[in-house]
Amino acid sequence: MSPFHNDPADEYTDPPVKANILAAGAVLWRPARGKDAGAIEIALVHRPKYDDWSLPKGKLDPGETPVITAVREVAEETGLRSRLGRYLGHVTYPVTGHRKLKRVDYWAAEVVDGEFESNTEVDVLDWCRLDRVMDALSYPMDRTIVRNFLRQPAETATLLLVRHAKAGRSDRYAGNDDLRPLEKAGRAQARALVPNLLAFGASEIVSAPPARCVQTVTPLAEELGTDIELEPLFSESGYAAAPDAARKRARDLVSADAVRVISSQGKVIPDLVEWWAGEDGISLPPARNRKGSVWVLSFNGGRLVAADHLDRILIPNDFPQG
């Protein structure tokens, strides 16, 4: 786990009140080509307004989470569609000419497709080898983020663990608890999850059988045009009865070819994540594991190398805006 996760202040889902301008960006990377094949390159953008070289980034639009902003800003500044991976931390700095502080959260982002075209914000995109990227960047804060990126391999497999959205209190539901549906706020959470999960490349879905788990990922399944695979081992009763089998099943779902989403319950996900972190020797960031929250697990060679928690993917207005 990258050291910055050990500081609760680095929990990107809860920006400090003093940072009243929020932004997000990425270390955008791709496999190098030609004689450098096997290495990686990082995209730096030149902004003519400031005559500087930096990482692609921009301010949150109303109703956006930093996750969505990072993908959107990469696309707007570079013309490239990307898939997010590990969270890389944040920087906070005063805005020149204003009595305000700006916070920028960063992720690793792999290029999926697209082509750069010069635009009003960015006139040049340069793909830098790792041996020259630090000298090319204009700002020390960007170098800090790149160092965080370099602490783990660039290429990682992603698994997304989603706690089901709000479904009301079980003691107020008269029927079979496995049939308890999402409430209105939970349905809004489920819809809000879709673009955030897609930002990480979500492509396949596995869910515990309870209705509230399935309904949490139904909007995503509809967007992807895919089926939801039911897995009883990821229900609270199934996990309690056979935790080793459930853990093996979760590990088997890690794939370099697909980003799988697991929808499960509050007595499953914390134990599963803690077990995984202990097995593979990483530290976990602070997390409240609220309904509708997501763990983004990153793997290299089958080993868990980073675990990041998205806590505020609820209703877009729940996220603090600058």
Side-chain angles (χ1 to χ4, degrees):
M1 191 72 179
S2 300
F4 56 80
H5 286 101
N6 294 333
D7 181 359
D10 273 331
E11 178 81 20
Y12 64 82
T13 54
D14 228 347
V17 174
K18 64 182 180 180
N20 43 23
I21 299 176
L22 303 179
V27 174
L28 183 66
W29 68 275
R30 71 179 187 185
R33 303 169 182 178
K35 63 182 179 63
D36 293 324
I40 67 166
E41 299 171 327
I42 292 175
L44 303 187
V45 296
H46 180 262
R47 302 182 300 174
K49 180 178 179 179
Y50 304 103
D51 190 22
D52 61 7
W53 288 94
S54 65
L55 303 171
K57 64 180 181 299
K59 291 189 292 185
L60 272 65
D61 281 346
E64 281 189 333
T65 63
V67 166
I68 295 172
T69 300
V71 172
R72 176 182 58 76
E73 284 291 337
V74 165
E76 289 180 359
E77 292 195 356
T78 71
L80 302 173
R81 193 164 62 92
S82 63
R83 178 175 55 245
L84 300 187
R86 293 180 292 123
Y87 177 62
L88 302 176
H90 75 269
V91 297
T92 303
Y93 55 91
V95 179
T96 304
H98 298 274
R99 298 181 63 183
K100 294 183 177 180
L101 286 177
K102 185 173 186 178
R103 171 180 168 128
V104 189
D105 292 279
Y106 287 95
W107 282 262
E110 182 179 8
V111 173
V112 175
D113 56 33
E115 185 174 347
F116 173 73
E117 291 186 8
S118 179
N119 55 76
T120 56
E121 291 188 64
V122 174
D123 60 348
V124 181
L125 184 149
D126 186 23
W127 287 102
C128 284
R129 298 192 312 266
L130 297 183
D131 61 356
R132 68 182 186 89
V133 67
M134 293 300 188
D135 289 338
L137 283 165
S138 298
Y139 305 111
M141 290 179 293
D142 286 350
R143 297 187 193 105
T144 297
I145 295 299
V146 171
R147 289 189 190 98
N148 290 341
F149 172 76
L150 295 175
R151 289 190 174 114
Q152 298 290 353
E155 191 165 359
T156 55
T158 301
L159 187 69
L160 302 167
L161 303 184
V162 180
R163 185 181 178 191
H164 71 75
K166 295 180 179 180
R169 289 173 50 173
S170 58
D171 59 359
R172 293 181 180 175
Y173 184 73
N176 181 338
D177 192 56
D178 281 350
L179 301 179
R180 177 159 49 98
L182 296 183
E183 60 186 17
K184 182 179 179 180
R187 294 192 297 272
Q189 284 181 295
R191 292 191 296 271
L193 277 167
V194 174
N196 289 277
L197 297 174
L198 290 177
F200 292 94
S203 59
E204 298 180 13
I205 307 170
V206 180
S207 177
R212 54 196 179 276
C213 296
V214 176
Q215 290 173 4
T216 296
V217 287
T218 294
L220 176 64
E222 292 172 347
E223 179 70 22
L224 291 172
T226 191
D227 294 328
I228 299 171
E229 178 185 350
L230 298 184
E231 178 50 80
L233 286 169
F234 296 145
S235 68
E236 289 181 346
S237 59
Y239 188 88
D244 290 341
R247 292 162 180 167
K248 182 180 184 304
R249 174 72 171 122
R251 197 179 277 277
D252 288 345
L253 288 173
V254 178
S255 171
D257 301 318
V259 176
R260 293 180 171 127
V261 177
I262 297 175
S263 180
S264 186
Q265 297 179 267
K267 294 182 181 178
V268 175
I269 292 175
D271 185 81
L272 177 61
V273 173
E274 289 173 10
W275 166 81
W276 223 326
E279 285 287 302
D280 290 349
I282 70 165
S283 300
L284 296 175
R288 292 179 60 185
N289 292 295
R290 293 188 287 190
K291 292 175 181 177
S293 64
V294 181
W295 279 98
V296 181
L297 305 184
S298 301
F299 300 83
N300 181 263
R303 176 179 171 271
L304 181 64
V305 296
D308 308 316
H309 192 240
L310 292 89
D311 192 20
R312 291 249 179 152
I313 300 181
L314 304 171
I315 301 169
N317 288 339
D318 285 349
F319 197 89
Q321 298 295 316

